Each structure stands twice: as structure tokens, then as C-alpha cells.
Amino acid sequence: MRTRGDIEGRGKRPEGPGADTLQTTGPGSLQMMILLGLAILVVAVAGVIAYQVVYRDRVILGLKVHGVDVGGLDRDDASKVLQAKLTSYEAGTIVLRQGGQEFKSSPAQMGVRFDTQKTIDKALQSGKEGNPLDKLIAQVGALGAGVSLEPIYSLDGDKFAAFAKRLSLQIDQSVVNGALKIDGDQVRLLPPKEGLALDEAKLRDEIEKEVRALSSNPITIPVTRAAPQITEQDLAPARAMAQQMIAAPIQFTFDGKVVDKWTLPPDKLVGMVTFQSTQVNGKHQVSAALNPDAVRELADKIGEEVLQKGLNARFDYSGGNLKAITQGREGRELDADQFVQSLQTVAVSSGDRKLEVPMKVAKPAVGPNDGAKLGIKELIVQRRTDYSGGAAERRYNVELGTSRIHGVVVAPGDVFSFVDEVGDVTEENGYKLGFAIIGADTLPDPGGGICQVSTTTFQSIFLAGYEIVERIPHAYRILRYEAPMAGQPTMTGLDATIYPPDVDFKFRNNTDNYLLIQTRTDGQYMYVSLYGTKPDWTVTTKGPELANVVKADPSIIKQYTPAMAKGREVWVETAIDGVDITFYRTVQRVSQVVSQDKVFTRFRPERNVLLIGTGGAPAPPQEIMTVTPTPVATAEPAEETPTPQPTSPPPTPTKAAAVPTATPTAGRR
């Protein structure tokens, strides 16, 4: 049971300090505070709910797309605002620079395309994802610090590649190595250039970086660089060397004397200089030199002029005694390899720019003291022909040509060249003016008659069985070579013309013994005698076989020439029928055939041509008289240009082989 005191105690206000404070912290005050907090929370929740409801279809406040404020806007309004900004950027200008060059383009031309709707979708989703607390934090953060989004875009690969290609055409440059060029009398340097190539991948990165920021700042075009492999420093020694090479002429001496026609002046040297680059330890070294092909060509040209074929000592065989009659001659030829090397050295020298033409000398195979080893002991074959008819000039040339092959020794395996032995058939070399048919005309020409010497030599070699290397027939028959001779066979159609340097008669001594050629004249006959050791073979001939006779035109043709004395008349051709003549030769050792040869000649019909001198006056047209001629006793068929003769196909070992021939340019009878 409660007492009165207890009741009174409850209703009595406390006394003393702090009595009010104690009053507010009682159960009633706490309740008030809780209620207030709940009220605030309710209001906050209500506010958040209201914010979520209001901005459910709008962009939250504080959100920008790279400076474009779209906060609080719905999709349509945000799209309008953002579309205008992005479209303007796409069409705007971005400057690209490289090495002083400047190019302008728009992002759209580079392939950039913004997607406004996807960007708005992203903006509308911002701050609205996750749990309510996450959303609240994001939305409050946007209100405070703001939120920035990047626009969504794409870069068209094909369009960008096309843009980069256009740009590279103006940016790219091939690397250019330094070079040297001779201009007049100066060696100029063509400076090297660095190579440039657009770096497409890096350019794309740079463009995308600017696009993401909606920036229009200038872009430095990224490139890859390639340094030239040959620099000015690499070229300096070669430039100095080339300048020295063309500074002064180069002279050539032969036997100690300067040969002016071979001199290389600076302007000729300019065309011969060449530059070469080699790599040594990965570094280029450039040098200057004379073009090897040009130097070799020069060596060949000079070599032809200084060439001297060696001549064996000559011998006379008489009464069983062999005596040397000439010392022979050393052969010499230009040393081409040494010439090329020496000329390169002289070309870069600053001293005496002269080169003594280097020569190689070869002693003759047979010297004047070699008679004992030659084995000359017997006559093998002798052949003679009649040269008594005809003009005095012709007889003189026959005798001169005969003397010039007397005593020739042909070593085993060697090839005899008639042209080499008789020398140039010119007036300077002692021959007198005769006649030759060159082309279609009969003209005065030195050496008429020399072909009787070559023909008689050929006939002796043919009868002896030696290998014929080169033989060219006349274009028409010369009957004096076929005239019957007591004690020797008639050799119808077996002739050989020569016309240095192109037409020659050659044979090979295809035995193991030396062969001596002896010749002489007695005013009527010329003789070719072969001495040595008789080959161990037998020679048989078959022929002549004549076919396809073509009758000659008997008309007389009068031709005029200013090269003969006025009124002088010479029969230079006499009408003889054309015909095909075939001869066969077999060379055999017991049962072994050494060679079988077929000699085929197609002679054309000859004309009656009377050559009349005008004494230097212009020659009138030729005259043709259709009467049967009676040539005078001095009728002298001239030498002429032989035509190629048909030959049989290459033989089998059991058939006759055609004697080698060549196409001549002229011939002297």
C-alpha cells in the first residue's frame, strides 16, 4: 500500500541546481527526439522517392557529356542538345601537321561517326543502377561534383584506311641514298633524303584520343623514318677520286712513243667513270672507277692495232740441205688484264697520266736453229699452175705472192693462214694495181693474181690430204687453174680465193710431223712444193662431177673506169658457162678412214666484160653489144666478190664431208 508520503514525493519538483536538466532527459524528451528523426527520415525517403519518380525518364542532375549539360532533360530534349553538339564536331575541322606540311580534315572524313542515342541511353542509366543506396550515393554525387560521360562513337575501318591512304600519298617519301653525278667537269653530290612512312596505327590512336575528348587540337602526324644507307660522308672519298679521274687526259705510249689517237680526253673519261657501292661490316663504301666494260672495249680496240702474230723461222730445202732464210718473228698481243688494271691506277693518279701499253710476247714455235728437229727429208706433193698469160701487173703480183709463202714451216697441229703469211694485199705492201669484181662491178684493185698463189697452195694441200679449215671458191670458173699439166691430175673447179682480212685460205697440219712449204716461179709456172715426212695415209679423189650447166651470155659489155689510162682496154671477164662441180677426197690409213671430204662449188656463168680507161674523166654508162665476141689474147678475167656456195648436210663418218667455206667480201684472181 502506497503511503501519503510516497504520493507527495512523486509530485514534488526537485530542488537545487540541475533540477531543469534532469527534467528534459526524462522519458518524454527521448520520445520527442525519436519522433523528430523519424519525421526527417520519412521526409528524406519521400524526397528520394520523389526524385526517383521525377527523374525516372530524365537524366539525373549534374551529368554532362563532355561539357554538354543534359541533366534534368528527357530523351528527346537531351538528344536535341547532344545531337547538335556532336554533329557540329563531326563536321568540324582538325588540323594535321608533318614537317612543315599542314592538312585539314573533319572527323567525319576520317571515318568518325557518333551514336547519339546510345550516348543518351548511357546518360539515362547513369545513377540509376544498383541498390537504392548505390543510386542515392551516385545521384547525390552528381549533384555535388557532377558526372562527365564520353560520347559513344565508331570509326569506320574502310573510310579511315582510305583517308590514311590519301594522307600517305602526300606524306610518304622513299628513302634516297646519296649519289654522285658528273656534270661537265665537276662531280656533284646528290644529297640523301630520309624516308618517311605514315604510321597508320598510331594515327588512329591519336585521332580517337581527340574524338573521345571532343577536341579539335592539331594532331602531329606520326611517321616511321628510314635513314639513307649512303650518306654524304660515305660519298666524299669517291667524289674526290672521280674528280681526279676527269681532271686531265690520259695518254698511251707504245714502244716508248705517245700514240695520240688513243688519248682519252676528260670529256671521254667522263663517260667512262662509274661508281660502285660495297658493304663492309654493314657499312657502305663507295668508290669510283672506270667502267670495266668500257676499259675492256678500249683494250680490245688497241689490241687489234698492236697485235702481231708470231711467224716461224723460214727455211729453204735444197739438195737435201735445210737452211734458215729468216729469223722468224715474235708474236705479241696486248695484255688485256694488265691493261685494265694499269689504266684504273693511272686514272686516279695526280702525276704522269701516261700508260705504256702492256704486251705479252711469245717466241715462235720454230726458230732459225731448229732445223734439225723438223724432220724435213722428202717431197710430199708438188703442184704447178701456168701464170704466163695476162697483164704484166698480174704476173708481178703472182711472183710477189709466191715469194711471200716460200719457206713457211707449219708445226704439228698448227693452222696455216695464207693471209697471215702474205700480209696486206695493198700497194703499200708492194702489190700492183690489178682488177677485181666487187659487188656487181669490175674495178681496179691491188693484188690481182694473188689468188693463183692461194689456189695452187690449196690444190697441193688437197692432194696431200691435210685438213682444210677454210676455203672460198671464186664465183665463176677460171680455166687457167684447170689447164692440164703433164704429170699431175686435172683439178676442175678446185680453186681458192682470198681477200684480206675477211676471206682466207687455211689448213691444219693434222700430222705429228713438221711441214715445209716451198714455192718458186720461172716466168711461166708457179710451183708449190710440200716437204717433210710423208704422212702414213693414202689419198684418193673422185670427180669432177658436173651438173646444172647454165649457158653464158655471149654479149660484150663495155665498162669504163677513170682509174685506167685513157683508151686502155682490158678484158676482165670472158664468157664461160656456169656449172655445179663436185669433187670427193678420201684420206685413209690402211683400213681406217681419216677423213672423207666433199667439195661442192656452184659457179655462175661469166660474162664478156671489156674495161676501158677514161684517164680520170667521168665514166660514161656501160654499153652492151649483142654480138659474139672474139676476146683478144690478153683477156684477163679479174678477181671478184665470191658468193656463198651451197654445201651438203653434215656428213656421217662413212660419207663425204663438205670442205669449210665462208662468205667473202671480194676476191682477186
Side-chain angles (χ1 to χ4, degrees):
M1 171 184 291
R2 292 181 294 176
T3 64
R4 180 177 177 83
D6 294 330
I7 296 173
E8 290 178 352
R10 290 179 185 171
K12 185 177 181 182
R13 180 181 295 269
E15 296 179 358
D20 292 336
T21 301
L22 292 173
Q23 182 66 33
T24 58
T25 57
S29 297
L30 180 59
Q31 292 176 354
M32 289 297 295
M33 291 177 66
I34 292 172
L35 291 175
L36 179 59
L38 289 174
I40 293 173
L41 179 59
V42 169
V43 170
V45 171
V48 169
I49 293 172
Y51 186 90
Q52 296 292 337
V53 172
V54 171
Y55 291 98
R56 181 180 57 190
D57 295 324
R58 293 175 180 273
V59 180
I60 63 174
L61 294 176
L63 188 144
K64 297 180 180 180
V65 178
H66 269 300
V68 180
D69 189 356
V70 293
L73 299 180
D74 60 17
R75 175 179 292 277
D76 291 341
D77 290 340
S79 295
K80 291 177 182 179
V81 172
L82 191 57
Q83 184 68 47
K85 177 69 174 181
L86 298 181
T87 300
S88 175
Y89 182 80
E90 283 182 7
T93 299
I94 293 180
V95 176
L96 301 101
R97 295 170 179 164
Q98 174 50 238
Q101 293 178 287
E102 188 172 279
F103 310 94
K104 295 180 179 180
S105 183
S106 68
Q109 291 172 327
M110 300 175 187
V112 174
R113 182 175 182 81
F114 288 98
D115 192 326
T116 304
Q117 294 308 314
K118 285 186 177 180
T119 302
I120 295 301
D121 288 343
K122 185 177 180 181
L124 288 171
Q125 290 299 317
S126 181
K128 301 176 183 178
E129 296 175 334
N131 55 51
L133 181 58
D134 292 336
K135 295 178 183 179
L136 179 61
I137 293 172
Q139 292 170 2
V140 171
L143 288 173
V147 176
S148 180
L149 295 180
E150 292 182 354
I152 295 174
Y153 70 94
S154 62
L155 187 63
D156 187 299
D158 292 339
K159 200 167 184 179
F160 174 76
F163 164 74
K165 180 65 175 177
R166 293 193 301 271
L167 195 59
S168 67
L169 292 176
Q170 302 180 72
I171 292 294
D172 291 1
Q173 63 181 31
S174 299
V175 63
V176 177
N177 287 322
L180 296 172
K181 178 182 179 182
I182 301 179
D183 188 2
D185 60 353
Q186 295 297 315
V187 182
R188 293 196 300 109
L189 173 68
L190 303 179
K193 292 183 180 179
E194 183 183 53
L196 293 178
L198 176 71
D199 190 328
E200 187 173 327
K202 289 186 178 180
L203 176 63
R204 180 172 184 145
D205 291 343
E206 291 294 324
I207 290 174
E208 290 197 77
K209 182 174 71 174
E210 297 300 320
V211 168
R212 287 193 296 270
L214 293 183
S215 170
S216 296
N217 291 330
I219 296 175
T220 299
I221 300 172
V223 294
T224 57
R225 301 177 182 274
Q229 295 182 323
I230 301 177
T231 66
E232 295 183 18
Q233 184 179 0
D234 297 330
L235 294 170
R239 183 181 187 185
M241 186 180 298
Q243 193 67 61
Q244 179 61 46
M245 294 170 72
I246 64 173
I250 296 176
Q251 294 180 309
F252 297 90
T253 59
F254 185 65
D255 289 338
K257 297 179 180 179
V258 174
V259 183
D260 290 333
K261 64 179 179 179
W262 297 339
T263 297
L264 293 175
D267 59 342
K268 183 70 176 289
L269 288 167
V270 164
M272 296 176 67
V273 174
T274 184
F275 299 101
Q276 300 172 337
S277 175
T278 57
Q279 272 194 320
V280 179
N281 297 325
K283 183 174 177 60
H284 284 267
Q285 291 186 354
V286 182
S287 61
L290 296 181
N291 186 305
D293 293 337
V295 175
R296 185 68 64 170
E297 182 179 346
L298 178 62
D300 292 342
K301 178 182 177 182
I302 294 178
E304 290 178 2
E305 298 186 38
V306 300
L307 177 66
Q308 176 178 282
K309 294 186 178 180
L311 295 177
N312 290 330
R314 294 192 180 192
F315 291 81
D316 181 77
Y317 186 71
S318 178
N321 296 316
L322 189 66
K323 180 180 67 174
I325 56 177
T326 69
Q327 298 297 307
R329 184 180 70 186
E330 288 183 331
R332 64 182 185 183
E333 64 178 347
L334 182 140
D335 187 335
D337 292 337
Q338 184 62 47
F339 180 91
V340 171
Q341 180 179 343
S342 298
L343 184 55
Q344 296 285 8
T345 301
V346 171
V348 297
S349 68
S350 58
D352 187 12
R353 292 168 66 85
K354 289 182 181 178
L355 172 62
E356 174 70 19
V357 175
M359 301 295 294
K360 292 190 292 187
V361 178
K363 292 183 178 181
V366 179
N369 300 320
D370 293 335
K373 75 175 186 180
L374 301 183
I376 307 301
K377 62 183 182 180
E378 58 189 330
L379 178 66
I380 300 172
V381 164
Q382 184 182 81
R383 179 72 180 169
R384 76 182 188 274
T385 56
D386 190 337
Y387 74 99
S388 60
E393 296 93 337
R394 183 185 190 281
R395 294 194 301 273
Y396 172 86
N397 289 334
V398 170
E399 292 174 351
L400 179 60
T402 298
S403 70
R404 288 187 171 173
I405 63 168
H406 176 67
V408 171
V409 175
V410 185
D414 281 359
V415 173
F416 166 90
S417 165
F418 189 91
V419 168
D420 286 350
E421 298 298 340
V422 301
D424 293 334
V425 183
T426 62
E427 291 181 281
E428 293 78 9
N429 202 22
Y431 292 92
K432 291 186 177 182
L433 198 65
F435 302 95
I437 296 177
I438 301 174
D441 298 317
T442 302
L443 302 171
D445 197 50
I450 190 67
C451 287
Q452 180 154 355
V453 184
S454 61
T455 292
T456 309
T457 305
F458 162 62
Q459 290 176 351
S460 68
I461 295 299
F462 185 82
L463 290 173
Y466 292 98
E467 178 188 348
I468 307 300
V469 175
E470 180 180 337
R471 170 257 177 180
I472 305 296
H474 291 81
Y476 55 84
R477 291 177 72 182
I478 301 176
L479 298 181
R480 72 167 67 247
Y481 302 155
E482 304 175 9
M485 294 282 174
Q488 60 181 28
T490 299
M491 305 187 73
T492 304
L494 293 176
D495 64 343
T497 185
I498 63 109
Y499 200 91
D502 301 309
V503 180
D504 198 357
F505 164 62
K506 297 178 180 180
F507 76 89
R508 187 188 312 279
N509 178 3
N510 55 324
T511 72
D512 296 330
N513 302 307
Y514 288 87
L515 177 66
L516 172 65
I517 301 175
Q518 295 226 141
T519 60
R520 65 184 177 90
T521 58
D522 60 12
Q524 180 176 0
Y525 299 110
M526 70 149 296
Y527 300 81
V528 175
S529 303
L530 306 181
Y531 287 91
T533 300
K534 285 186 178 181
D536 59 346
W537 59 46
T538 59
V539 179
T540 57
T541 62
K542 177 185 176 183
E545 296 177 356
L546 278 66
N548 301 323
V549 176
V550 179
K551 289 295 182 180
D553 184 350
S555 300
I556 296 176
I557 300 173
K558 290 185 177 181
Q559 294 179 339
Y560 298 86
T561 174
M564 284 171 45
K566 184 175 182 180
R568 183 185 179 189
E569 297 182 354
V570 179
W571 287 96
V572 293
E573 294 184 39
T574 301
I576 300 174
D577 293 345
V579 65
D580 291 351
I581 300 178
T582 305
F583 241 102
Y584 298 93
R585 182 185 73 168
T586 300
V587 181
Q588 187 169 350
R589 286 191 183 98
V590 189
S591 60
Q592 178 186 5
V593 175
V594 176
S595 67
Q596 286 185 313
D597 304 309
K598 175 183 178 181
V599 182
F600 173 84
T601 307
R602 174 164 290 164
F603 292 112
R604 66 168 175 78
E606 192 177 357
R607 310 169 300 171
N608 285 311
V609 179
L610 180 63
L611 195 63
I612 304 171
T614 65
Q622 71 177 19
E623 303 174 24
I624 300 178
M625 302 172 61
T626 56
V627 295
T628 302
T630 305
V632 296
T634 57
E636 182 57 33
E639 298 307 307
E640 63 175 334
T641 303
T643 55
Q645 304 301 316
T647 58
S648 61
T652 63
T654 59
K655 294 185 179 180
V659 171
T661 61
T663 302
T665 58
R668 302 178 178 90
R669 178 184 178 283

